[in-house]
Amino acid sequence: GPAGAVGQSLEDCDFRRRYGRAVIAVRTSRGELLVPPDPSRKLDSGDILVSIQTAIEGRESPRSLKDAN
């Protein structure tokens, strides 16, 4: 799981493809908030990743639902 990403960068662990989520911020173990996060920064064990789910397979996107009206 994501705990295996400690010591790797978001780029190296291919977070978006692997977990279907886009990391939009990182709260570092020192309390800093990185928005947007540096994709090449190595993750620490105390980091908290703030993420959003990317596309849900088999479902329409919110934009297409809005446009359907």
Side-chain angles (χ1 to χ4, degrees), residues 2 6 10 12 31-32 46 49 51-52 57 65 68:
V6 171
L10 292 171
D12 291 340
E32 298 171 279
L49 306 181
S51 66
I52 58 173
E57 191 173 324
L65 292 175

Side-chain angles (χ1 to χ4, degrees), residues 39-50:
S40 64
R41 178 186 169 274
K42 301 240 186 269
L43 299 170
D44 293 328
S45 62
D47 288 352
I48 297 171
L49 306 181
V50 180

Side-chain angles (χ1 to χ4, degrees), residues 13-48:
C13 68
D14 201 7
F15 201 87
R16 184 184 299 249
R17 184 188 61 76
R18 183 177 279 171
Y19 302 108
R21 303 190 67 82
V23 178
I24 58 171
V26 174
R27 169 75 65 185
T28 70
S29 57
R30 294 184 307 233
E32 298 171 279
L33 183 61
L34 307 177
V35 181
D38 176 356
S40 64
R41 178 186 169 274
K42 301 240 186 269
L43 299 170
D44 293 328
S45 62
D47 288 352
I48 297 171

